[in-house]
Amino acid sequence: AIHYYEKAISKSKETNFYEGLCQSYNNLGELYEKRGEFELAYEFYTKSLDLQTKTSDDFLKAEIYGNIGSVLTALHKFGEAYRYLVESLDFFKSIDVKDKIMEGSQKIAFYFLQSRNYESASYYLETSLKIAEEIGDDYQAGKIYFLKALLERNNHEKASEYLKIA
């Protein structure tokens, strides 16, 4: 995947196709974030965001903001992460894109889990779970129940119950 994204980046640079370049950097960031290489993911997200000003794709900008917020959360840079997460979620709410609202709610819930604001984390997990059930997304529901188990780490019985559901 990395090889093909690098090829896409080269072709996009050759043709000044900024949207493609922006998307490829964002996708590479997602790949590195999933691999746990958060600093590298942040670099690619930042490149993508810098290029985004040359496009008019607000949807992509909101995706990039959510991704930057997510990786900053993983890096424990909570002060920087929050504004990106909120701005991304607010955009997706404004255009009512259910799957992105669900995803953004999970990212904010994880932010609150990491920053130890468990009441807010619970709120966003419930919001996300409601959407997952509404659209029938069992995969995302499983991820949400996993996060709910983390939220209940001091209540082993409840955490175990959530993990079984997940």
Side-chain angles (χ1 to χ4, degrees), residues 78-98:
F78 302 119
E80 296 173 56
Y82 187 72
R83 80 171 185 89
Y84 287 108
L85 293 169
V86 170
E87 193 165 331
S88 174
L89 183 59
D90 285 349
F91 174 79
F92 289 125
K93 283 181 177 179
S94 76
I95 61 171
D96 198 30
V97 180
K98 298 282 187 207

Side-chain angles (χ1 to χ4, degrees), residues 55-74:
T55 73
S56 59
D57 190 341
D58 288 338
F59 191 92
L60 180 57
K61 179 181 178 183
E63 279 189 332
I64 297 165
Y65 270 38
N67 288 340
I68 288 175
S70 174
V71 81
L72 286 170
T73 298

Side-chain angles (χ1 to χ4, degrees), residues 43-141:
E43 284 181 41
F44 281 106
Y45 291 148
T46 302
K47 285 181 181 184
S48 184
L49 187 60
D50 291 343
L51 281 170
Q52 199 282 326
T53 59
K54 295 182 179 187
T55 73
S56 59
D57 190 341
D58 288 338
F59 191 92
L60 180 57
K61 179 181 178 183
E63 279 189 332
I64 297 165
Y65 270 38
N67 288 340
I68 288 175
S70 174
V71 81
L72 286 170
T73 298
L75 292 168
H76 294 253
K77 296 181 179 181
F78 302 119
E80 296 173 56
Y82 187 72
R83 80 171 185 89
Y84 287 108
L85 293 169
V86 170
E87 193 165 331
S88 174
L89 183 59
D90 285 349
F91 174 79
F92 289 125
K93 283 181 177 179
S94 76
I95 61 171
D96 198 30
V97 180
K98 298 282 187 207
D99 62 325
K100 293 296 183 180
I101 296 169
M102 176 180 57
E103 183 182 312
S105 294
Q106 286 177 55
K107 287 178 179 183
I108 291 179
F110 187 70
Y111 166 88
F112 282 125
L113 273 166
Q114 293 296 301
S115 60
R116 294 178 169 65
N117 182 336
Y118 303 122
E119 188 175 323
S120 293
S122 180
Y123 168 81
Y124 283 100
L125 287 174
E126 289 304 319
T127 299
S128 188
L129 183 59
K130 182 179 175 185
I131 295 169
E133 291 171 345
E134 179 183 315
I135 64 175
D137 192 330
D138 292 338
Y139 174 73
Q140 292 299 326

